[in-house]
Amino acid sequence: MSEHIHLTPLDRISVTDAAAWHQVVAASMAHDLPGVPPPGPGQIHAQLTKPTLDSHRLTWLATGADRVPVGVAGLRLFTSPGRDHLAELELHVDPAHRRQGTGSRLLSAVVAACRTEDRRSLIVEAPADSPGEAFCERWMFRLALALDHLILRFDEVDGDKVRRLGDAEHPGYRLTGWTGTVPDDLAAAFAAAKNAMNDMPVGDLDYGSVDWDADRVRAMAQVIADRGDTLLTIAAVHDDGTMAGYTEILLPQGAPPRAQQYDTAVVPAHRGHGLGLWLKAAMVQRLRAEHLGVVEVETDNAEDNVHMLAVNRELGFRSYRRTREFQLDLPTA
């Protein structure tokens, strides 16, 4: 059946292309991830057309004989030192058009592009026990990391406990927060704290490392703003001026009710003082006070990240689904 599938590389994304992409992704997620809100049309258009940080994208649209969109693939090619060996795949096939070779055709195009771009590692995320997981196993991707997704629903949270945790005093530390780009006087300290994420558990993923500096944290915030999303940050600053930790929340464009947790990190020298729980509780307080349309927060943790899972569960997060990160190791010349 795959001979009836037509693959088109999308060099310039039109409004029609973005609408077709959204159609496929929404159908795929409704089937494989019921209860998980799919990205809206505006989010998809921004994802496909706005610049990314230290990377570029290749995209393909698969259509049937009647030119109906049946599958999509997006390949993010990282370009920064330490990650320029890496590519990240997003692949969806409309459930009504599966088992006709569409996914395999898309993956073949992706692998060929990875070889052209001299990539040795291709990573992809799939819901646990899903058709995507079976597809990865069939094509010899190896399981590299297991993730537990958790939800904090504000109508179920213990408000008194959150206030107690968020208002707790931590001698030697103070909280500060901002929206969007970090203030100039905190940029260098924030970049140094960002580098603490390089020791987060990544299982067997060949994920490389990221070297953060003040310019890079500003550029990241700009990328998020350009695609129409809002980034909220709360940080713990030590009396000596160093940033001890931070937590970030992403509010997707269109003000959907579910916010997404971005990074939470505590610098190694400041761990063991309860700062992670303090930061996250303060962020929940901020969301409930300033963003009344948000009713829940989703986060994910590696299943072996015992400490952060304990922090999230103490705050009231509950597990609700699992995903798997797979990696395909590609031969290099």
Side-chain angles (χ1 to χ4, degrees):
M1 295 291 289
S2 63
E3 64 270 17
H4 301 303
I5 303 301
H6 180 71
L7 256 58
T8 304
L10 301 177
D11 296 324
R12 297 178 64 87
I13 307 294
S14 68
V15 172
T16 302
D17 294 332
W21 192 286
H22 176 261
Q23 177 183 323
V24 172
V25 171
S28 173
M29 290 185 64
H31 182 274
D32 297 340
L33 291 169
V36 177
Q43 290 174 268
I44 291 288
H45 187 268
Q47 172 192 336
L48 295 174
T49 60
K50 299 299 183 181
T52 54
L53 183 62
D54 295 339
S55 62
H56 65 275
R57 290 176 58 88
L58 301 177
T59 54
W60 294 262
L61 173 66
T63 53
D66 51 4
R67 289 295 187 257
V68 170
V70 298
V72 296
L75 185 65
R76 185 179 181 188
L77 298 158
F78 294 90
T79 57
S80 60
R83 301 185 83 190
D84 53 4
H85 66 284
L86 181 65
E88 187 173 51
L89 170 64
E90 177 186 6
L91 192 153
H92 294 274
V93 177
D94 187 315
H97 299 276
R98 289 178 180 173
R99 307 195 69 80
Q100 298 178 28
T102 303
S104 298
R105 288 279 306 277
L106 287 166
L107 181 60
S108 293
V110 165
V111 169
C114 286
R115 289 175 173 149
T116 299
E117 297 283 344
D118 196 26
R119 305 296 157 141
R120 70 168 186 261
S121 300
L122 175 64
I123 61 174
V124 65
E125 182 178 294
D129 306 316
S130 71
E133 182 176 58
F135 178 84
C136 290
E137 292 171 346
R138 187 163 67 251
W139 289 103
M140 306 304 291
F141 283 75
R142 60 179 176 83
L143 177 61
L145 181 66
L147 295 170
D148 190 4
H149 290 250
L150 304 96
I151 285 284
L152 180 70
R153 295 186 170 93
F154 292 169
D155 62 352
E156 299 175 358
V157 76
D158 184 338
D160 290 338
K161 182 178 183 179
V162 170
R163 280 190 293 274
R164 186 171 66 253
L165 292 170
D167 294 341
E169 292 189 7
H170 290 260
Y173 300 93
R174 63 178 176 87
L175 293 182
T176 188
W178 62 88
T179 299
T181 304
V182 60
D184 287 344
D185 62 328
L186 292 173
F190 184 42
K194 272 277 191 182
N195 284 309
M197 287 298 292
N198 283 327
D199 70 353
M200 70 178 179
V202 294
D204 294 324
L205 284 176
D206 183 14
Y207 205 67
S209 61
V210 178
D211 185 18
W212 291 92
D213 59 20
D215 288 340
R216 194 174 199 279
V217 296
R218 293 187 186 101
M220 183 73 255
Q222 190 61 52
V223 164
I224 291 170
D226 286 347
R227 68 182 189 225
D229 299 335
T230 301
L231 185 65
L232 308 178
T233 307
I234 293 180
V237 179
H238 191 262
D239 286 346
D240 65 6
T242 60
M243 192 169 291
Y246 66 93
T247 189
E248 298 170 315
I249 286 285
L250 183 87
L251 305 178
Q253 64 160 282
R258 180 177 295 182
Q260 297 290 333
Q261 180 76 61
Y262 260 32
D263 291 351
T264 297
V266 176
V267 174
H270 298 276
R271 291 173 184 168
H273 301 291
L275 300 185
L277 188 56
W278 185 33
L279 286 160
K280 291 177 76 78
M283 180 62 83
V284 171
Q285 289 181 288
R286 179 178 177 184
L287 286 170
R288 299 186 76 179
E290 299 176 9
H291 299 277
L292 302 183
V294 175
V295 301
E296 59 190 12
V297 177
E298 178 178 358
T299 190
D300 64 74
N301 299 118
E303 289 184 356
D304 61 353
N305 191 352
V306 178
H307 175 71
M308 191 53 69
L309 282 168
V311 166
N312 284 326
R313 288 176 177 141
E314 177 68 16
L315 196 57
F317 281 87
R318 297 292 177 261
S319 298
Y320 91 113
R321 68 183 180 95
R322 296 170 298 127
T323 60
R324 302 287 182 258
E325 294 270 2
F326 291 90
Q327 180 170 313
L328 183 64
D329 300 313
L330 301 167
T332 56

